[in-house]
Amino acid sequence: MGEIFFQMIYGLIILFLIFLFHDKEVYTIILAITSIGVPIYSFFLILKILLFLFILFIVFLYFINEEFKNFIFKELFYLIVFTILFKVSSLIWGFALYFIFWHSIPSIMNQMKFLYGEVSFENFKIYFRSAFFYWIVSLVGIALLYFILKDQKIFNALFFSFLASITFPHVLVILKMFEKK
């Protein structure tokens, strides 16, 4: 259970790092979605709280979980890389690079391992064929939305609203997958 909370805090830290480095854009997006102006300093305050909890979990898990000792240094390195990436990139590019390379690819590999027992090129072809239609529909939908609304501020609000709406069900499905693993 502690590892699930650790992963949640880790994910929220990544999210709030993006928020912190793109606070004005995020403020505009949240305002467009909710009509509520969230004070920009709150991103930094929440990030500080999350980092405090993160450090507590690191200390706790470090002493009770032997595998965690090997895992944590790699994850701390990734947080440094994310911080640099989010600082030097735009909101969309920083999020896209994180999402593709540190989230989607490992997630696809975990799903292949769960569904087919191992990660292999043959299993990737099976996975790809079964998911291809959904990927194409999603990409075409996002591309159409972008080309229709690219000059309007509403695109970012719609894009991030869509991502938020699919994140919660995705988390539940992945948690169930790991429970059965």
Side-chain angles (χ1 to χ4, degrees):
M1 189 61 129
E3 292 167 15
I4 292 172
F5 286 118
F6 174 82
Q7 292 297 331
M8 279 182 28
I9 290 171
Y10 187 81
L12 287 169
I13 287 171
I14 291 168
L15 189 64
F16 276 90
L17 280 171
I18 294 173
F19 287 6
L20 181 68
F21 291 117
H22 302 286
D23 54 4
K24 290 170 186 59
E25 286 177 86
V26 172
Y27 173 86
T28 304
I29 292 167
I30 292 172
L31 185 63
I33 294 170
T34 65
S35 300
I36 297 171
V38 176
I40 289 176
Y41 68 84
S42 64
F43 302 141
F44 183 66
L45 180 64
I46 292 170
L47 182 60
K48 283 174 46 175
I49 293 167
L50 290 169
L51 286 170
F52 175 75
L53 292 172
F54 185 70
I55 290 167
L56 287 178
F57 272 107
I58 287 173
V59 171
F60 175 72
L61 290 174
Y62 188 84
F63 290 108
I64 67 163
N65 187 330
E66 195 63 36
E67 290 177 20
F68 186 78
K69 290 178 183 179
N70 300 323
F71 165 81
I72 190 58
F73 294 108
K74 179 177 73 168
E75 296 306 318
L76 290 172
F77 173 75
Y78 285 157
L79 277 179
I80 293 167
V81 171
F82 297 148
T83 301
I84 295 167
L85 173 70
F86 299 151
K87 175 75 174 148
V88 301
S89 66
S90 69
L91 175 64
I92 295 288
W93 274 111
F95 181 80
L97 290 171
Y98 162 75
F99 188 78
I100 292 166
F101 292 108
W102 280 281
H103 177 75
S104 296
I105 293 172
S107 179
I108 287 170
M109 293 172 72
N110 282 331
Q111 291 171 47
M112 282 192 310
K113 198 179 295 180
F114 177 77
L115 293 170
Y116 310 118
E118 67 176 348
V119 176
S120 68
F121 185 69
E122 287 302 313
N123 288 338
F124 177 74
K125 289 191 303 188
I126 296 167
Y127 183 89
F128 183 83
R129 279 192 290 261
S130 66
F132 182 74
F133 175 75
Y134 300 103
W135 291 345
I136 290 299
V137 169
S138 298
L139 289 173
V140 168
I142 289 171
L144 284 173
L145 188 63
Y146 176 75
F147 286 114
I148 292 169
L149 301 172
K150 70 180 175 185
D151 296 327
Q152 300 177 17
K153 290 184 178 182
I154 195 76
F155 173 75
N156 282 347
L158 287 173
F159 179 73
F160 284 103
S161 294
F162 171 74
L163 288 177
S165 70
I166 63 173
T167 297
F168 185 68
H170 170 71
V171 167
L172 293 178
V173 168
I174 297 301
L175 279 174
K176 287 221 175 271
M177 182 182 86
F178 279 113
E179 283 176 3
K180 291 182 180 182
K181 192 173 174 182

